[in-house]
Amino acid sequence: MYFEKAGKENTQKTLQIAKEEALKRGISHIVVASTFGDTALAAAEILKGTGIKLVVVTHNTGIREPNLQTFDQEIKKKLRVWAERFTLGQWF
C-alpha cells in the first residue's frame, strides 16, 4: 500500500490492512513502532479480539534527555489491559 503523503492520517488504514493480512495469512504477531504510544494504542484497539499478539517497540529511555521515557504512561496503563497480547520493548 502506498499513500500520497506520509503522516498520522495513514495509521488507521495501515493497521487495518496489517490486521486483515495477518488474519488471512495466519500471522500470530504484529510489531509496531510507537514513540509516544498513539500508534500502539490504535493497534491494540484494532487487534482486540483477534488473538493476534502485539509487540510494541519504543525509543529507549533517555534518547531525548537523560531518564526521559517518551512513551505516554497513561497509554501504557491502558495497554496493560491487554497484557496477554502486549509487550513493550526498546531497541538496542
Side-chain angles (χ1 to χ4, degrees):
M1 171 59 65
Y2 290 96
F3 297 100
E4 292 293 320
K5 181 180 170 192
K8 273 186 179 182
E9 60 272 10
N10 303 321
T11 301
Q12 290 294 324
K13 180 68 175 169
T14 301
L15 292 170
Q16 186 63 39
I17 292 168
K19 178 182 97 171
E20 290 168 5
E21 288 299 314
L23 290 170
K24 183 167 62 174
R25 299 169 189 233
I27 295 170
S28 60
H29 293 74
I30 289 181
V31 179
V32 298
S34 190
T35 302
F36 302 105
D38 299 330
T39 300
L41 187 58
E45 290 171 351
I46 284 177
L47 296 175
K48 189 175 182 181
T50 65
I52 297 171
K53 292 179 174 54
L54 176 62
V55 178
V56 178
V57 180
T58 67
H59 282 298
N60 55 306
T61 299
I63 196 166
R64 295 195 176 190
E65 64 182 71
N67 300 316
L68 175 68
Q69 174 49 255
T70 57
F71 199 91
D72 185 290
Q73 296 305 301
E74 290 303 312
I75 292 176
K76 185 177 177 181
K77 287 177 189 176
K78 289 179 185 177
L79 292 170
R80 291 288 177 212
V81 171
W82 299 294
E84 77 280 357
R85 302 185 301 111
F86 171 70
T87 302
L88 183 63
Q90 299 181 53
W91 58 273
F92 294 94

